[in-house]
Amino acid sequence: MHRSGTSLLGGLLQRLGLALPGETIAGDQHNPEGYFEWDEVVEIQERLLTDLDRWWPSEQGVLALPEGWLAHPAVISAAKRLRDLLVVESACQQGLWAIKDPRCSRLLPLWIQLAAELDLQLQLLLAVRDPAEVTASLLHRDGPLVGMDANRAQQLWWRHNLEVVRDGQAANLSLGVIDFGRWFVEPEAQLELLLSALPSLQPTPEQRQLALDLIRPEHRRSGSAAQKLVIRPELRRLHQKLLRTPLPRRWPTLEPPRALR
């Protein structure tokens, strides 16, 4: 989910020795260290969500994807472009590599399909952040631009997280959940949890320290603004459920709580 610490996670993985291919999007006032997102992948997925009338920050972005969306002409076109990128990159990479883009949360079935076609082993990492902090961050960044409000932000948080869990479990994929808040409380323990989710990643002691050096208090913005927000109790419960180990098998409906709709 956007504003859930995915960029911090991307930076940590890169410092631990995991490759992030392509030209990555530079930092700005919202993410000074950078977004760690492959610009071509972001452009393809942003365009695809728009073509499906589900541009993620819009009012339609909180809705389920259209029925049969994988057969939509825009999806077929986007899949070809993504497939071409993956074919070239998989031939170049020798070790672990990753693609980081919060838009993958909603388009995960497409990635599962592409991985199967190209015989690529797919493993999922889901960055989870307190829904109040995510809501506050979205209001700050996207409120003036797209009219983001607290209800829409909470609906987006609900869908983005639940769809990853549902689609990942349905495909029997390994899914590691990384709690954003824990980086600032128990960074060493959280780092070990991250590495346990990626056993093939074997960073050196120097790489581990480089990763820990990236964790700074200023990365956890929106705290004071989040305390002023009223968050639906259903989201609080889902947040706690997402942090359970092992993950449960039963989940609420993908439709956000009625009070938010």
Side-chain angles (χ1 to χ4, degrees):
M1 171 61 197
H2 303 262
R3 314 310 297 163
S4 290
T6 60
S7 295
L8 174 59
L9 179 57
L12 291 166
L13 290 170
Q14 187 179 66
R15 290 190 176 202
L16 290 167
L18 187 143
L20 298 174
E23 291 293 327
T24 55
I25 298 175
D28 57 20
Q29 70 271 27
H30 302 293
N31 279 24
E33 284 81 19
Y35 284 83
F36 302 95
E37 295 173 359
W38 191 349
D39 58 355
E40 289 183 88
V41 171
V42 170
E43 185 273 325
I44 292 169
Q45 299 204 112
E46 187 86 341
R47 179 72 257 171
L48 176 54
L49 289 171
T50 301
D51 289 341
L52 294 173
D53 194 25
R54 295 297 185 272
W55 183 45
W56 77 265
S58 70
E59 293 182 5
Q60 291 76 24
V62 305
L63 302 176
L65 291 175
E67 186 173 352
W69 64 274
L70 282 170
H72 191 286
V75 177
I76 295 172
S77 175
K80 181 182 183 306
R81 294 181 63 191
L82 291 171
R83 188 183 298 107
D84 290 344
L85 292 176
L86 293 175
V87 167
V88 172
E89 201 59 43
S90 60
C92 297
Q93 294 293 342
Q94 300 299 315
L96 288 179
W97 55 289
I99 293 174
K100 175 257 170 182
D101 182 7
R103 296 160 189 81
C104 294
S105 296
R106 301 229 57 197
L107 298 170
L108 182 54
L110 173 58
W111 288 96
I112 293 173
Q113 178 178 290
L114 289 170
E117 292 175 5
L118 300 175
D119 196 25
L120 296 175
Q121 184 178 354
L122 186 61
Q123 183 164 350
L124 308 178
L125 288 179
L126 175 63
V128 172
R129 187 179 183 185
D130 185 304
E133 293 185 25
V134 173
T135 298
S137 185
L138 287 173
L139 292 176
H140 173 72
R141 190 189 70 173
D142 300 318
L145 297 175
V146 297
M148 181 68 67
D149 59 37
N151 267 19
R152 191 191 309 171
Q154 291 180 66
Q155 291 182 72
L156 289 168
W157 184 94
W158 183 275
R159 271 209 184 276
H160 278 73
N161 287 297
L162 267 183
E163 288 186 349
V164 171
V165 174
R166 179 203 63 178
D167 295 331
Q169 289 187 336
N172 292 316
L173 292 173
S174 173
L175 172 60
V177 176
I178 308 302
D179 178 10
F180 174 75
R182 196 180 180 198
W183 287 118
F184 308 96
V185 181
E186 300 177 301
E188 291 86 2
Q190 181 74 331
L191 181 61
E192 293 305 317
L193 182 64
L194 172 61
L195 292 174
S196 69
L198 298 170
S200 298
L201 187 61
Q202 298 290 324
T204 65
E206 292 76 14
Q207 288 173 319
R208 286 171 177 256
Q209 189 56 52
L210 281 173
L212 290 171
D213 290 343
L214 186 61
I215 303 166
R216 296 192 289 272
E218 58 266 28
H219 283 133
R220 193 170 195 178
R221 298 180 289 269
S222 306
S224 58
Q227 294 175 6
K228 303 174 184 177
L229 293 172
V230 177
I231 301 297
R232 291 293 308 171
E234 296 93 334
L235 273 75
R236 295 289 189 192
R237 290 194 291 270
L238 177 57
H239 181 222
Q240 292 304 311
K241 194 169 186 176
L242 286 166
L243 300 182
R244 291 182 192 170
T245 304
L247 277 176
R249 298 297 301 185
R250 298 182 63 183
W251 296 92
T253 174
L254 292 175
E255 289 300 316
R258 184 179 300 275
L260 293 174
R261 302 202 297 271

